[in-house]
Amino acid sequence: MYDIVQKIKDIKTQLETEQNNLQIQVKNLQDFKNQLQITNDSLSEQRGQNSNCLAQTRGIEKNYQKLLASGKQEQDNLQKEVNDLDAQIRAKLGNKSIPAAKGVLAWPVDGIVTQGYGNTGFTALGYNFS
């Protein structure tokens, strides 16, 4: 009988120890669950912010695409106008052009060059050509 009571006491002690361990595990799991909930809430908030940012970015991108398309259209219109004016000038001139000749644009004026490029004696007066 004594042995049976002793075994029951040992089993009771074991069960109490296991119950304490299980309570600690339950507390740890509850802490993890709370951390998980906080993380999920944070992620949900970030998803909402990302979604708002994405919507704004798409709206801005559409505006830029419209501006780009209108700029391209204006560029095409200007190029067409330049080509039309060029064709009109050619039609009036009768396809005449400046003849290529050696030395036509060699010097802009006749005469002696009195001052070249770069620093001169005027730099002492505070002039700087840089």
Side-chain angles (χ1 to χ4, degrees):
M1 188 74 120
Y2 178 75
D3 288 338
I4 294 175
V5 170
Q6 190 63 29
K7 285 182 182 180
I8 291 174
K9 285 182 180 179
D10 289 341
I11 292 173
K12 181 181 176 186
T13 306
Q14 266 182 343
L15 288 175
E16 287 174 350
T17 304
E18 286 180 15
Q19 184 180 12
N20 288 337
N21 288 339
L22 288 174
Q23 286 175 350
I24 291 171
Q25 288 178 355
V26 166
K27 184 181 180 298
N28 288 339
L29 288 175
Q30 187 64 37
D31 290 343
F32 287 139
K33 182 180 176 183
N34 291 339
Q35 289 177 353
L36 179 64
Q37 184 63 39
I38 290 170
T39 303
N40 282 338
D41 292 343
S42 174
L43 286 175
S44 295
E45 182 180 339
Q46 287 179 357
R47 283 185 188 120
Q49 290 174 351
N50 287 347
S51 147
N52 290 339
C53 183
L54 182 62
Q56 289 174 352
T57 302
R58 285 184 179 159
I60 292 171
E61 181 185 10
K62 286 180 184 178
N63 289 341
Y64 284 136
Q65 291 295 335
K66 288 177 186 176
L67 287 173
L68 183 62
S70 69
K72 177 71 172 146
Q73 183 63 36
E74 287 179 17
Q75 181 182 4
D76 291 343
N77 291 341
L78 285 175
Q79 186 63 41
K80 184 179 180 295
E81 187 176 340
V82 167
N83 290 340
D84 291 343
L85 289 173
D86 191 33
Q88 289 174 3
I89 291 172
R90 283 189 186 153
K92 286 184 181 180
L93 290 178
N95 290 329
K96 295 180 185 175
S97 62
I98 298 175
K102 184 176 180 180
V104 171
L105 298 176
W107 287 97
V109 295
D110 290 334
I112 299 171
V113 175
T114 59
Q115 181 177 342
Y117 293 106
N119 292 332
T120 63
F122 295 114
T123 56
L125 299 175
Y127 294 104
N128 189 359
F129 297 100
S130 57

